[in-house]
């Protein structure tokens, strides 16, 4: 009996562990409380091995609001509808130049290229958009659907 | 009788000879006139300044930028003007044909809150999401004869200028047939009386003919030729055409080695402003200068220039072109000259080399230089100038500090947009004004340790069990090649470190560990990836490639590191965005492209390591060590080449420092190149690299030295991503939070059950 219990204990411990963990499929919490998306800094308080002599100046950083990409995306759609895909593309590229990490811009560009008969380029753009969309389910789904469409076109093309 | 006959024959022969002579002249001048009408250099534009709410830009900075492209401050009733209103700026933007279409002239109000734009409105008060100032011209591509002109189309020359021209230079222009006997006599009389040449007697047409020939000999024969050609032109072409040709042809000054022709460019050259925006005083100065561009050079002889300008203003009033009040105001005003547009940096020869190289592939050079093409580039003048300043100041500082020969060190910088590959700046040598050897594009130097991230990338991709905390051996290695020669690499400083974690091997740039790892993975993948990124056949896969025995230009290095700044997606590096013809029709677009060139999870781990280079490794002396930037130092054999590549979220920069003749500089990447990057970045906004967790990974703290799990109490921890399933032992003597161990165990069990 004791041997059975001693066998079961670790299993019980295991089950407790599993119950204590987050549900299946969700990622474990990172060690650091912050989500650590801003650089490979050290976890502890240990300073870098050599102190720089001066503080790096902090120049103001641009923070465009959502209105900017919205306006350019709308203008791009309008250009496309007016029969000027070159202008539509240039407008999206202008938006990406200012806000290169917005997934929807790359996905818009991918759709534009696909509709203009350039599946290879569309795929490049869609992949980039998909990588940037990680962690945002709706955009991830849009990217996945787009990549499927492109694959379909490439297969049949 | 015979005399008459002889005279008759002589007259006939003379007439035939004259006819023949005239026929020759006619052909010559007509073809010259028509040919020159169409020879227009290509214009090269930088990136326009984008205005939007949230943009980091102060009112002062915007004002400076506007002045730089010739906007006048004051009332905003005409294009090319601006006005400060407390904290805000009102700007009357000029019409401009962008590559996306025409932007008509419009008024915008820009609201500021200190360092940022807080709002943007149009003239009616409706809010705008975005507006842009037209791009500055950064260069031209000329036909070889070294002239430059900004064509003023017929009908666009200010009336006042045309009238003033006639009044001052050729009062009977509208009536005569090429030459003006009355003017010649009058000039002779005035010159005789004053004892020197004060007036020419030449008509505008004669001056036009004269301007077609460089020869300044004033022989009688030449004068007769010019007179005849002037008459021919008048017979063949309309007065309007001739006047317009004059406006665009007349020699008005010298810009270094370049001759400035035409009032369009003269206006830019002297006033930094388009011809359409000149004031009466400025128009008077332009006409005044024609008589002797050197003698009346307003930069060198302002008093003479002003005196003559004032005389012209008198004449303008005398002939009712301007009223007395305008004349008085104009005479009281300064010359209005501005050298702003002619700074050494205005023409950027090093960047223009890149533009020319890319265009030469697709365009006939003669056509390119004479058809008035408009070339839109990705250059960012602010970044370019920061890079130039950084090079100049840092090299001087280094030479002084290390007692090196002053002025001998060279440097190159290439800056690209981190995600699009667009080139924002090229510094080709220490002196940016000099159009000499371009070290950024053409200087091929051994890249040394810059290659290491590629080695580690291939290793991570090919070995699924390898991660940043994996232990590899920084141990001696010796190879014998086919010829029996031995290669025994060493670490840069210090001996072999023994077992080290991957993160440390890359951050500290340990040669032995890199070679060990590279040999285990294979050199071919590294060589192939280089070939792929450069669009060339791969370099030979010798083991020495693992330590960067490969000569590349800084531009090539930028092409390679685009893979890292793009999170695994490399955008091709390019300087030109679009080419249009004179009318604005699109000839060519160089659209945005990108390509996945590596396994994303692996690249993200390398990027993590590259930030650790800056916090812990060879880049830790940087001002930006703790600011979330990524980088890699490189030093070639014998300290001949000092390299640094750095990127933040916005841009990637490659810096090379060394001597032109290849001698040793005794500088390392950290001591020679990194300070240049620091100096440049300190003038620009810096945003930490975004580092999403690689898929299938978790973050843990490991001891930097040993790679074992540790915290600050028992070691020197760095936070790194490792695969979810990877077991990482704890450092002996560490009492770590068991929660993490259990979570890790849970993950591993779950993965077994999957």
């Amino acid at each position: 009996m004791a041997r059975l219990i001693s066998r079961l204990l670790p299993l019980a411990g295991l089950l407790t562990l599993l119950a204590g963990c987050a549900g299946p499929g969700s990622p474990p919490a990172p060690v650091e409380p912050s989500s650590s998306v801003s650089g490979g800094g050290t976890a502890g308080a240990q300073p870098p091995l050599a102190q720089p002599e001066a503080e790096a100046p902090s120049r103001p950083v641009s923070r465009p609001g959502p209105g900017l990409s919205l306006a350019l995306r709308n203008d791009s759609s309008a250009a496309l509808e007016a029969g000027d895909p070159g202008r539509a593309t240039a407008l999206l590229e202008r938006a990406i130049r200012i806000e290169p990490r917005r997934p929807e811009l790359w996905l818009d560009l991918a759709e534009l290229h696909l509709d203009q008969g350039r599946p290879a380029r569309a795929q490049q753009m869609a992949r980039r958009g998909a990588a940037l969309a990680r962690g945002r389910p709706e955009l991830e789904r849009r990217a996945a659907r787009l990549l499927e469409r492109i694959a379909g076109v490439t297969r049949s093309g | 009788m015979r005399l008459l006959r002889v005279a008759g024959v002589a007259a006939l022969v003379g007439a035939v000879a004259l006819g023949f002579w005239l026929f020759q002249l006619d052909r010559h001048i007509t073809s010259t006139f028509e040919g020159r009408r169409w020879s227009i250099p290509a214009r090269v534009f930088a990136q326009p300044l984008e205005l939007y709410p949230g943009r980091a830009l102060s009112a002062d900075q915007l004002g400076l930028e506007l002045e730089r492209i010739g906007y006048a401050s004051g009332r905003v009733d005409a294009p090319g003007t601006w006005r400060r209103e407390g904290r805000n700026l009102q700007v009357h933007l000029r019409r401009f044909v962008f590559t996306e279409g025409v932007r008509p002239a419009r008024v915008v109000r820009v609201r500021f809150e200190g360092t940022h734009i807080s709002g943007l409105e149009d003239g009616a008060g409706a809010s705008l999401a975005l507006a842009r100032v037209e791009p500055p011209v950064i260069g031209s591509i000329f036909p070889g004869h070294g002239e430059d002109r900004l064509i003023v189309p017929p009908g666009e020359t200010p009336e006042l200028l045309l009238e003033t021209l006639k009044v001052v230079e050729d009062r009977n222009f509208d009536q005569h047939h090429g030459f003006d006997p009355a003017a010649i006599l009058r000039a002779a009389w005035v010159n005789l009386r004053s004892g020197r040449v004060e007036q020419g007697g030449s008509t505008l047409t004669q001056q036009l003919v004269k301007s077609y020939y460089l020869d300044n000999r004033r022989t009688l024969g030449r004068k007769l030729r010019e007179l005849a050609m002037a008459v021919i032109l008048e017979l063949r072409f309309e007065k309007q055409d001739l006047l317009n040709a004059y406006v665009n042809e007349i020699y008005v000054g010298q810009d270094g080695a370049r001759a400035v022709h035409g009032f369009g460019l003269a206006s830019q050259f002297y006033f930094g402003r388009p011809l359409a925006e000149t004031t009466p005083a400025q128009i008077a100065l332009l006409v005044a200068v024609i008589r002797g561009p050197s003698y009346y050079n307003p930069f060198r002889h302002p008093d003479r220039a002003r005196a003559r300008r004032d005389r012209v203003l008198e004449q303008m009033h005398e002939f009712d072109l301007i009223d007395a009040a305008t004349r008085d105001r104009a005479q009281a005003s300064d010359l209005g000259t501005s050298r702003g547009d002619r700074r050494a940096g205005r023409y950027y020869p090093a960047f223009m080399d890149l533009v020319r190289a890319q265009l030469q592939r697709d365009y006939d050079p003669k056509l390119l230089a004479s058809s008035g093409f408009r070339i839109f580039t990705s250059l960012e003048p602010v970044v370019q100038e920061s890079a130039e300043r950084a090079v100049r100041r840092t090299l001087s500082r280094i030479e002084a500090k290390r007692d090196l020969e002053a002025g001998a060190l060279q440097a190159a910088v290439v800056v690209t947009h981190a995600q699009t590959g667009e080139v924002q700046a090229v510094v080709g040598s220490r002196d940016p004004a000099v159009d000499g050897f371009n070290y950024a594009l053409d200087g091929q130097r051994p890249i040394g340790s810059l290659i290491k991230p590629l080695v580690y990338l291939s290793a991570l991709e090919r070995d699924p069990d390898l991660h940043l905390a994996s232990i590899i051996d920084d141990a001696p290695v010796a190879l014998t090649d086919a010829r029996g020669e031995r290669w025994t690499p060493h670490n840069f400083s210090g001996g072999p470190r023994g077992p080290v974690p991957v993160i440390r091997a890359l951050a500290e740039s340990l040669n032995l560990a890199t070679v060990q790892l590279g040999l285990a993975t294979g050199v071919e993948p590294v060589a192939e990836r280089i070939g792929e990124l450069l669009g060339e056949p791969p370099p030979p896969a010798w083991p020495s490639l693992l330590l960067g025995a490969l000569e590349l230009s800084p531009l090539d290095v930028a092409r390679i590191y685009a893979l890292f700044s793009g999170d695994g997606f490399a955008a091709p590096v390019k300087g030109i965005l679009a080419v249009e013809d004179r009318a604005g029709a699109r000839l060519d677009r160089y659209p945005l492209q990108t390509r996945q060139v590596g396994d994303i999870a692996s690249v993200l781990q390398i990027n993590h390591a590259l930030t650790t280079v800056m916090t812990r490794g060879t880049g830790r002396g940087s001002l930006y060590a703790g600011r979330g930037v990524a980088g890699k130092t490189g030093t070639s054999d014998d300290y001949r080449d000092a390299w640094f590549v750095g990127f933040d979220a916005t841009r990637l920069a490659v810096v090379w420092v060394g001597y032109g003749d290849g001698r040793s500089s005794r500088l390392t990447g950290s001591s020679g190149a990194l300070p240049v990057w620091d100096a440049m970045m300190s003038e620009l906004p810096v945003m930490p690299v975004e580092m999403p967790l690689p898929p299938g990974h978790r973050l843990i703290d490991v001891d930097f030295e040993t790679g074992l799990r540790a915290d600050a109490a028992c070691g020197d921890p760095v936070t790194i991503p490792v695969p979810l399933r990877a077991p990482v032992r704890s450092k002996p003597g560490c009492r770590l939070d068991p929660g993490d161990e259990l979570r890790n165990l849970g993950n591993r069990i779950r993965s077994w059950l999957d």
Side-chain angles (χ1 to χ4, degrees):
Chain A
M1 181 62 172
R3 271 178 69 201
L4 182 62
I5 292 172
S6 71
R7 285 251 181 84
L8 280 175
L9 260 175
L11 186 58
L14 233 51
L15 290 170
T16 319
L17 257 180
L18 288 173
C21 291
S26 60
V31 170
E32 292 306 296
S34 70
S35 55
S36 283
V37 287
S38 59
T42 56
Q46 204 96 338
L49 295 175
Q51 288 286 9
E53 284 163 29
E55 259 303 301
S58 259
R59 302 280 160 170
V61 161
S62 293
R63 300 199 190 286
L68 177 62
S69 53
L70 199 62
L72 285 167
R73 290 173 76 197
N74 286 342
D75 283 354
S76 174
S77 300
L80 191 60
E81 261 169 62
D84 193 349
R87 179 154 187 264
T89 312
L91 285 166
L92 285 176
E93 291 184 6
R94 185 179 167 197
I96 287 175
R97 191 170 297 122
I98 301 174
E99 291 191 274
R101 299 195 77 94
R102 259 191 199 271
E104 49 269 48
L105 295 172
W106 295 88
L107 297 177
D108 280 3
L109 202 50
E111 276 169 12
L112 191 51
H113 283 301
L114 186 61
D115 292 338
Q116 297 294 308
R118 290 184 292 264
R121 193 158 301 164
Q123 191 182 57
Q124 295 171 8
M125 301 291 142
R127 283 199 181 144
R128 188 74 188 97
L132 289 164
R134 270 184 61 225
R136 297 169 64 180
E138 209 176 289
L139 285 169
E140 282 176 322
R141 278 195 292 274
R142 181 184 166 198
R145 278 197 306 267
L146 187 50
L147 283 165
E148 266 174 44
R149 247 180 82 198
I150 294 168
V153 166
T154 317
R155 266 196 303 271
S156 59
Chain B
M1 227 23 7
R2 258 176 72 126
L3 206 59
L4 262 175
R5 255 220 315 272
V6 167
V9 168
L12 195 62
V13 169
V16 168
L18 183 65
F20 190 63
W21 184 68
L22 284 174
F23 175 70
Q24 285 249 12
L25 284 186
D26 176 33
R27 261 202 0 199
H28 186 75
I29 190 63
T30 306
S31 70
T32 303
F33 183 73
E34 295 199 313
R36 295 288 269 248
R37 269 208 291 205
W38 306 116
S39 176
I40 306 161
R43 286 284 164 221
V44 183
F45 298 96
Q47 270 293 293
L49 181 64
E50 299 272 17
L51 305 172
Y52 52 87
R55 161 122 204 189
L57 188 73
S58 69
D60 287 342
Q61 284 169 331
L62 179 54
L64 264 170
E65 184 60 35
L66 292 171
E67 299 262 311
R68 182 200 276 230
I69 50 175
Y71 277 61
S73 95
R75 298 205 313 263
V76 275
D77 50 2
T81 55
W82 67 286
R83 184 177 64 186
R84 185 91 183 234
E85 297 171 338
R87 284 197 303 194
N88 306 328
L89 240 70
Q90 232 194 349
V91 190
H92 196 142
L93 295 169
R94 294 180 185 128
R95 176 184 185 276
F96 191 81
V97 181
F98 284 98
T99 190
E100 298 89 349
V102 181
R103 194 272 307 278
R106 72 189 304 196
V107 173
V108 296
R109 178 179 277 111
V110 190
R111 297 185 184 285
F112 291 90
E113 249 173 48
T115 54
H116 286 72
I117 295 179
S118 57
L120 195 61
E121 287 155 20
D122 67 13
S127 70
L128 286 174
L130 183 64
R132 54 190 165 172
V133 182
E134 68 272 19
V137 172
I138 54 161
S140 306
I141 298 179
F142 311 91
H145 54 72
E147 288 178 16
D148 193 5
R149 55 176 59 79
L150 249 175
I151 293 296
V152 186
E156 282 187 27
T157 312
E159 256 323 291
L160 183 59
L161 175 59
L162 294 175
E163 295 304 315
T164 307
L165 252 183
K166 288 186 233 175
V167 155
V168 173
E169 294 289 328
D170 188 358
R171 240 157 261 171
N172 281 328
F173 176 76
D174 294 324
Q175 286 84 40
H176 66 63
H177 299 292
F179 68 104
D180 190 354
I184 294 173
L185 285 173
R186 185 173 59 240
W189 177 240
V190 168
N191 294 342
L192 217 59
R193 272 181 48 195
S194 70
R196 56 167 206 262
V197 179
E198 264 209 16
Q199 276 190 25
S202 308
T203 60
L204 290 176
T205 321
Q206 281 174 287
Q207 291 181 37
L208 178 63
V209 170
K210 202 160 58 179
S211 82
Y212 286 139
Y213 306 107
L214 293 172
D215 197 327
N216 265 326
R217 288 176 306 167
R218 308 309 307 145
T219 61
L220 186 64
R222 181 152 289 281
K223 285 201 89 102
L224 280 176
R225 273 173 68 95
E226 283 169 7
L227 198 144
M229 288 199 271
V231 171
I232 291 167
L233 277 184
E234 291 266 358
L235 286 172
R236 278 191 165 286
F237 301 102
E238 299 292 329
K239 290 275 183 193
Q240 260 313 105
D241 283 343
L242 298 176
L243 200 51
N244 186 248
Y246 183 95
V247 161
N248 284 297
E249 274 294 340
I250 191 68
Y251 174 65
V252 281
Q254 199 69 24
D255 184 1
R258 299 221 187 278
V260 179
H261 285 257
F263 287 117
L265 194 59
S267 177
Q268 282 293 142
F269 179 61
Y270 289 120
F271 310 121
R273 177 171 302 179
L275 188 59
E277 293 171 17
T278 46
T279 62
Q282 289 168 333
I283 285 177
L285 181 59
L286 288 176
V287 174
V289 157
I290 297 167
R291 213 41 95 65
S294 302
Y295 188 78
Y296 294 112
N297 185 328
F299 297 125
R300 292 224 195 83
H301 308 290
D303 293 335
R304 273 185 215 153
R306 191 185 179 131
R308 179 152 173 79
R309 177 200 74 173
D310 290 351
R311 279 204 299 276
V312 170
L313 284 165
E314 273 307 329
Q315 287 180 294
M316 286 161 82
H317 174 60
E318 212 183 311
F319 283 81
D320 285 329
L321 299 182
I322 54 176
D323 61 26
T326 309
R327 175 207 54 193
D328 293 339
R329 208 170 35 236
Q331 284 178 336
S333 70
D334 286 335
L335 283 177
T337 53
S338 137
R339 295 194 90 124
D341 224 15
R342 295 171 59 249
R343 283 184 328 269
R346 174 173 121 81
Y347 285 92
Y348 303 106
F351 184 83
M352 287 296 289
D353 284 346
L354 178 66
V355 169
R356 259 188 290 266
Q358 293 186 344
L359 287 172
Q360 254 149 36
R361 280 198 312 252
D362 302 330
Y363 293 94
D364 168 66
K366 264 189 68 186
L367 205 66
L368 184 59
S370 61
S371 314
F373 287 170
R374 307 169 80 231
I375 297 161
F376 294 89
T377 72
S378 49
L379 180 83
E380 299 271 0
V382 169
V383 180
Q384 173 74 29
E385 282 161 27
S386 297
E388 288 175 2
R389 259 193 303 275
V391 163
R392 198 172 57 239
R393 291 180 185 164
T394 310
L395 291 192
S396 300
R397 196 161 47 83
I398 290 175
E399 282 168 344
K401 186 162 146 201
R402 289 169 171 254
D403 208 17
L404 297 173
E405 181 194 339
L409 266 181
Q410 273 298 347
V413 180
V414 175
V415 185
T416 61
H417 186 295
Q419 304 301 325
T420 65
E422 293 171 0
V423 178
Q424 298 182 343
V426 177
V427 176
S429 68
R430 182 184 190 141
D431 186 348
V434 166
D435 197 351
F437 186 73
N438 191 325
Y439 289 97
L441 306 186
D442 302 323
Q444 311 237 310
R445 295 299 180 109
I447 62 171
S449 303
L450 293 189
I451 204 163
K452 286 175 179 155
L454 291 179
V455 178
Y456 286 81
L457 178 62
S458 291
L460 287 175
E461 284 173 342
R462 285 175 181 245
D463 182 355
D465 294 326
L466 189 73
H467 53 76
L468 292 178
S470 301
I471 308 301
I472 56 179
D473 206 3
D474 188 55
V477 61
L479 296 178
T480 311
D481 70 13
R483 289 170 302 177
E485 300 210 0
R486 272 169 74 81
W487 181 54
T488 47
H490 298 287
N491 277 339
F492 192 78
S493 61
R497 313 292 205 270
V500 294
V502 166
I503 181 96
R504 183 173 157 211
L506 184 48
E508 290 187 348
S509 208
L510 300 176
N511 287 345
L512 298 175
T514 306
V515 171
Q516 295 275 4
L517 189 64
L519 290 176
T521 312
V523 186
E524 278 85 8
V526 178
E528 269 159 33
R529 179 134 39 200
I530 291 173
E532 205 186 336
L533 288 164
L534 298 183
E536 286 167 10
W542 308 129
S544 55
L545 183 66
L546 299 171
L547 293 184
L550 173 69
E551 293 194 346
L552 294 178
S553 68
L555 188 72
D556 284 334
V557 173
R559 292 189 167 107
I560 290 175
Y561 273 75
L563 145 70
F564 296 111
S565 69
D567 297 343
F569 292 83
V573 156
K574 67 183 186 215
I576 303 176
L577 304 177
V579 179
E580 292 177 356
D581 71 13
R582 234 180 102 202
R586 201 176 298 129
L587 289 175
D588 231 326
R589 278 196 62 245
Y590 298 84
L592 177 61
Q593 294 186 67
T594 191
R595 203 155 57 92
Q596 187 176 349
V597 192
D599 169 61
I600 292 183
S602 305
V603 172
L604 291 176
Q605 289 173 73
I606 297 293
N607 284 354
H608 219 103
L610 294 180
T611 63
T612 311
V613 167
M614 304 305 287
T615 56
R616 271 284 188 285
T618 55
R620 67 184 183 269
S622 166
L623 289 177
Y624 291 91
R627 296 274 290 270
V629 300
K632 185 73 194 76
T633 56
T635 314
S636 67
D637 275 352
D638 293 334
Y639 303 83
R640 290 174 206 274
D641 306 283
W643 291 94
F644 181 74
V645 182
F647 59 94
D648 73 334
T650 322
R651 66 193 110 243
L652 170 74
V654 179
V655 179
W656 167 85
V657 172
Y659 284 112
D661 60 10
R663 72 187 126 118
S664 169
S665 66
R666 310 271 298 277
L667 295 169
T668 62
S670 321
S671 61
L674 176 54
V676 174
W677 186 78
D678 272 356
M680 178 181 74
M681 295 305 274
S682 68
E683 297 189 10
L684 302 169
V686 175
M687 283 177 54
V689 175
E690 277 191 37
M691 298 221 299
L693 193 60
H697 283 61
R698 71 189 198 276
L699 288 175
I700 60 170
D701 287 352
V702 299
D703 179 51
F704 183 62
E705 201 182 316
T706 59
L708 303 171
R709 286 198 57 238
D711 61 20
C714 65
D716 176 21
V718 288
T719 309
I720 56 169
V722 295
L724 286 171
R725 297 171 210 196
V728 182
R729 287 188 356 254
S730 296
K731 187 172 176 189
C734 280
R735 266 196 317 242
L736 297 164
D737 171 15
D740 184 64
E741 292 265 34
L742 291 175
R743 264 195 294 276
N744 185 27
L745 182 61
N747 289 334
R748 287 169 63 196
I749 291 171
R750 271 219 304 281
S751 69
W752 297 333
L753 297 174
D754 276 337

